[in-house]
Amino acid sequence: MYYCLASLSLSAGILSYILSLWNHFTDRFLQLFSQQDASTQDVLEKSTLSLKVLRKLIVFGVKEPHTSSEVVLCVDVVFKRLKALLECRKSLAGNGQLVELCEKHVSLLMKLLLDLQEQHALSYTQFICASLQFVVAYLFTEAGVGLLFERFTVQCLNMMKGIISCSEYRPARDMTGKSPLILEAYRIKMAFFTADTLIEICRRLLSRYFLLTPPDLEIWENDPDDFAIDEGGEAWKFSLRPCTEVLFLTLFRDFSVTLTPFLLGMVNDMQNANDPNSFDCILEKDALYTAMGLASFELFDEMDFDNWFTSCLIDELKVKAPMYKIIRRRVVWLIGQWVGVKMDVRLRPALYECLQPLLTGEEDMVVRITAATTLKLAIDDFQFNVEQFMPYLESSFALLFQLLKDVSECDTKMHVLHVLSFMIERCGSHIRPYAPTLLQYLPLLWMTSEEHNMLRCAILTTLIHLVQGLGTSSEQLHDFLLPVVQLSTDTSLDPHIYLLEDGLDLWLVTLHNATCTSPELLRLFANMNPLLELGSENVKTCFKIIQAYLLLGPEQFLQHHAVAVVQLCTDMFADMRSEGLVMILHLVEAVIRVFPAEGPCLFENFLPQVLSGVTEHEDDPVVLAMNLSILARVILQCNSIFLSTVQRVANATAKPADDVFRKLLDIWTDRINCITQPERRKINGLAVTSLLSFRSQVILDKFADLVSVVVEVMHDVYREEDGVQVDTLMLAGVGDDAGDEDGLDTEHDRRKRLLSLKDPVHTVCLKDYVQSQLQCCQQLHGEQVFDSLMAAVDKDVKKQLQEFFK
């Protein structure tokens, strides 16, 4: 709309005509209204329609509204029309249709002002003062009594918030080349917000807009789940309570010097005039504590929260007077706002202690849900210490579990599940003794949530963290977990649309923490091919799952899935981008590592694509490094398959095999530095060393370059210790317990470590292997040829090689 209108260079005549049309209909409406004429509604509808057109023209059709006399006139008229229409609405009590139309017209007028301020902030400069005066007069004085309705109030609050927070009303340090309107707007804004004005606005916000209303309390009693879950996102643009809170916070951030002493003074006065039996006092304290929570970051240096917590707030939570649940709920919310801002870590046990009774079934439901949220915020803090929380873990788990059962709404169950899930995640293995309690309820919750996919997503997230915390003990849950994974990852069923991502993560952690495979786990693999055919962002997780199966049950994998996986890799390889190619190559490498003898044979038809990827100038260094590493492992494990692969590529390209081999070695020696991981550099070094004993003219021609690569790799993997060169990648003699000091390794991590213990990278001493292969080369070609080959090696490289052999 903006671009269409802006490009038309609208004439002043059109704007003037629409403006006069709107003025005519509005004047006619006011005249008929005063005469109580029956045609009032029809005229107001026409006025509203013309106003819609006028707003579009002004906001999106005028490049610099402040230079247009029609726009300036229109905005001046808008303020007058607002006053008149608000009075009309007040007089229309009982006429529902006209009241609704009148409110719609008022809202459109406010929208015109809001859009103009947002889209043309500097052009709005001359209307800043009038706008602020209008908002203050109607919302923060008695002039607005009886005239306000919620949508209008929200728009007024948003107007003030928009002016205060507008970046174009804040002058930069260097104003060179900047519009003078910026300084003018800033001057007008600061001149308006005097100390007296700010304090009065703040006082009115707390005493009028922050107070809980009878409808609020009715919702509290009748629908506590809905009341307790705060609105998020951009609710402040449309809802009154979030809107007032955002305006208060905006004011406090910009004018904290003025408002901080006022707010702290109110806190002191409130403590001295505390009456737990006064309902008005309770509502006022709730409003004040709301302000203290919202302004926690701004009050960081001004408020001794630790002292307030220990001397006052803890006692507030113990008061059981009628309706004091309002304060208990607000105080526990307030603590949640401050816990990540300024709360001594030594006070955390006291916080956990005071939260326990607030989570019990005897407490009000809104208080319980709020306490659960605060517990989550306390656990989420970077200073969280699991040892401090351990004495409260069992009771917190049980209380949250009971709360999960007691709440009725799907959104609230998701909220409580999120708290439980987060607690499980942060406490890790400490949760194991208490997991059976949760597992009594989660299967029932899963079955009864068939129509609530988002709740099921929350359950899946909880199960993921639970499996991670339980480790191998999670195998006891497979009767429940595996059908859940089956349902979540079955692309033929509709729920997979919502559950797939979390279902795959649950599948993966279940495999990672399993000690052995089972027929049920193997049957799940039937879901894999359809998942990969989707080609979604979940492909990476799918490949991780395949690798987990490979390590969990190698023999079963070889028997049931190897052929299908090889075909899958072959079919997908040609259509993948670099990231996808790396995923496939990682899997191929893993299969060859697990099956050193069978792996190269399995991928015999795939390997020509790998070799072609090298010889056809692969630009991506990561893909090239993976291709070379796979070829290196094939050379080490089965050089006949390697030579067959070279021949097949030669046949496919109609080139001699030696040309293909030479091309490979040229790239290998030229681009060895694209391989950065020490493990991959060593496996490539071992493979290049292995080639030295090949009977090939190509090897003889490239001998000096190959030796240079080997020496370079030796420098990477060797380190001098006590005067001796040591291969840092050797793991001989390292047991299965290595790397498990923190007890957080999964079974999958242990399986990877065991595989590494058998890997040539970690079992073959590179220096010894180089010596052995050079001796084989000498025996193969004779001493005279070998000496001539070594003579061609760079003197510095030869010297470094001799240093390694000393």
Side-chain angles (χ1 to χ4, degrees), residues 314-573:
I314 289 180
D315 293 334
E316 296 266 35
L317 295 173
K318 298 175 183 177
V319 178
K320 299 297 182 182
M323 296 308 293
Y324 215 74
K325 63 183 181 182
I326 294 174
I327 300 303
R328 292 198 299 277
R329 176 251 183 177
R330 182 54 67 191
V331 168
V332 77
W333 171 87
L334 170 66
I335 294 170
Q337 299 303 299
W338 276 87
V339 69
V341 176
K342 188 179 183 181
M343 189 177 194
D344 195 312
V345 68
R346 292 169 295 183
L347 292 177
R348 298 306 169 88
L351 169 59
Y352 305 140
E353 183 73 36
C354 72
L355 288 176
Q356 303 303 302
L358 301 177
L359 289 166
T360 62
E362 292 75 28
E363 184 56 88
D364 176 82
M365 180 60 73
V366 173
V367 178
R368 294 172 69 191
I369 296 171
T370 308
T373 304
T374 295
L375 179 60
K376 189 264 178 187
L377 292 170
I379 294 174
D380 193 20
D381 186 59
F382 75 97
Q383 289 185 316
F384 174 72
N385 184 331
V386 69
E387 298 301 327
Q388 285 184 320
F389 186 64
M390 283 307 298
Y392 308 96
L393 175 58
E394 182 175 6
S395 58
S396 297
F397 196 93
L399 291 167
L400 287 171
F401 169 68
Q402 187 60 47
L403 177 59
L404 181 62
K405 292 197 295 184
D406 292 345
V407 296
S408 55
E409 294 292 331
C410 176
D411 286 348
T412 318
K413 286 185 179 292
M414 287 173 57
H415 180 75
V416 178
L417 260 177
H418 180 62
V419 177
L420 263 170
S421 177
F422 198 82
M423 187 172 74
I424 293 169
E425 182 183 8
R426 293 305 300 266
C427 294
S429 59
H430 296 289
I431 204 71
R432 292 178 183 178
Y434 319 114
T437 307
L438 186 60
L439 292 169
Q440 294 171 9
Y441 180 61
L442 283 179
L444 177 62
L445 184 61
W446 178 265
M447 287 187 291
T448 57
S449 62
E450 186 173 356
E451 302 299 322
H452 303 285
N453 287 307
M454 297 310 295
L455 177 56
R456 284 194 159 184
C457 287
I459 297 172
L460 286 171
T461 301
T462 304
L463 289 173
I464 290 167
H465 293 141
L466 189 60
V467 171
Q468 289 171 332
L470 291 176
T472 56
S473 301
S474 63
E475 288 183 312
Q476 303 170 16
L477 319 180
H478 280 192
D479 289 344
F480 170 51
L481 291 177
L482 301 190
V484 169
V485 172
Q486 167 66 35
L487 174 71
S488 305
T489 60
D490 188 341
T491 58
S492 66
L493 301 176
D494 289 341
H496 90 273
I497 298 171
Y498 306 95
L499 308 179
L500 180 57
E501 184 174 352
D502 293 317
L504 287 172
D505 288 339
L506 178 59
W507 191 356
L508 183 61
V509 299
T510 300
L511 291 169
H512 281 181
N513 289 280
T515 57
C516 61
T517 190
S518 66
E520 293 77 16
L521 272 173
L522 288 173
R523 280 196 291 271
L524 279 180
F525 201 87
N527 286 357
M528 185 54 65
N529 272 0
L531 286 169
L532 289 170
E533 288 173 4
L534 285 178
S536 67
E537 64 275 7
N538 296 308
V539 168
K540 187 174 184 178
T541 307
C542 290
F543 274 96
K544 288 181 179 179
I545 289 171
I546 296 173
Q547 290 194 43
Y549 271 105
L550 172 65
L551 295 183
L552 177 62
E555 298 305 322
Q556 294 91 333
F557 180 89
L558 185 63
Q559 180 180 352
H560 297 287
H561 306 305
V563 175
V565 168
V566 171
Q567 189 60 48
L568 181 74
C569 293
T570 305
D571 293 341
M572 295 179 68
F573 197 76

Side-chain angles (χ1 to χ4, degrees), residues 566-670:
V566 171
Q567 189 60 48
L568 181 74
C569 293
T570 305
D571 293 341
M572 295 179 68
F573 197 76
D575 300 324
M576 283 287 192
R577 295 181 180 179
S578 295
E579 186 179 2
L581 293 177
V582 171
M583 289 189 294
I584 293 174
L585 294 170
H586 271 297
L587 178 58
V588 173
E589 183 185 42
V591 173
I592 295 175
R593 289 182 67 201
V594 173
F595 303 111
E598 300 92 340
C601 297
L602 279 171
F603 284 102
E604 187 171 5
N605 292 328
F606 175 80
L607 289 173
Q609 296 186 71
V610 176
L611 178 54
S612 297
V614 176
T615 58
E616 292 174 6
H617 300 288
E618 172 59 56
D619 293 327
D620 190 297
V622 180
V623 176
L624 179 60
M626 286 302 306
N627 282 329
L628 290 174
S629 297
I630 288 172
L631 292 174
R633 290 187 179 277
V634 173
I635 290 170
L636 289 171
Q637 304 298 341
C638 188
N639 54 42
S640 63
I641 295 290
F642 169 71
L643 294 175
S644 170
T645 300
V646 172
Q647 187 61 56
R648 292 176 66 174
V649 171
N651 294 340
T653 56
K655 295 178 180 178
D658 279 358
D659 287 357
V660 175
F661 192 20
R662 189 183 306 277
K663 182 69 172 177
L664 169 64
L665 295 184
D666 286 341
I667 294 173
W668 213 332
T669 53
D670 290 344

Side-chain angles (χ1 to χ4, degrees), residues 243-255:
C243 181
T244 57
E245 292 177 354
V246 168
L247 174 61
F248 170 81
L249 193 51
T250 303
L251 281 165
F252 214 91
R253 285 172 177 166
D254 277 53
F255 305 103

Side-chain angles (χ1 to χ4, degrees), residues 138-149:
Y138 279 91
L139 269 60
F140 300 109
T141 70
E142 300 306 315
V145 175
L147 299 176
L148 307 180
F149 57 97

Side-chain angles (χ1 to χ4, degrees), residues 122 125 128 167-176 178-191:
L122 291 180
T125 298
I128 290 176
S167 60
E168 293 185 66
Y169 300 159
R170 302 174 187 272
R173 291 185 179 181
D174 183 8
M175 290 296 294
T176 304
K178 304 289 185 180
S179 171
L181 290 174
I182 296 176
L183 285 173
E184 178 65 12
Y186 178 75
R187 184 193 63 77
I188 294 171
K189 181 178 74 170
M190 299 307 293

Side-chain angles (χ1 to χ4, degrees), residues 15-81:
L15 185 58
S16 298
Y17 173 72
I18 299 297
L19 176 58
S20 63
L21 196 65
W22 170 63
N23 271 322
H24 166 72
F25 284 127
T26 307
D27 287 335
R28 183 65 178 155
F29 162 73
L30 294 172
Q31 181 185 1
L32 293 174
F33 173 77
S34 64
Q35 299 171 0
Q36 298 184 345
D37 192 289
S39 60
T40 304
Q41 180 173 330
D42 180 60
V43 175
L44 183 56
E45 287 175 347
K46 291 178 180 178
S47 176
T48 301
L49 181 60
S50 60
L51 177 59
K52 288 182 179 179
V53 177
L54 184 63
R55 183 181 71 84
K56 294 287 187 182
L57 287 174
I58 291 175
V59 175
F60 301 112
V62 182
K63 188 174 182 180
E64 295 182 330
H66 68 287
T67 63
S68 168
S69 58
E70 286 83 4
V71 174
V72 174
L73 173 63
C74 177
V75 176
D76 287 335
V77 172
V78 164
F79 287 109
K80 298 174 184 177
R81 297 302 193 198

Side-chain angles (χ1 to χ4, degrees), residues 747-771:
E747 287 297 305
H748 183 70
D749 295 323
R750 292 188 178 92
R751 287 190 283 269
K752 288 197 297 183
R753 208 159 42 244
L754 287 173
L755 181 61
S756 294
L757 291 174
K758 303 174 184 178
D759 195 304
V761 171
H762 302 297
T763 58
V764 177
C765 175
L766 180 57
K767 181 178 69 173
D768 293 346
Y769 189 62
V770 172
Q771 280 186 306

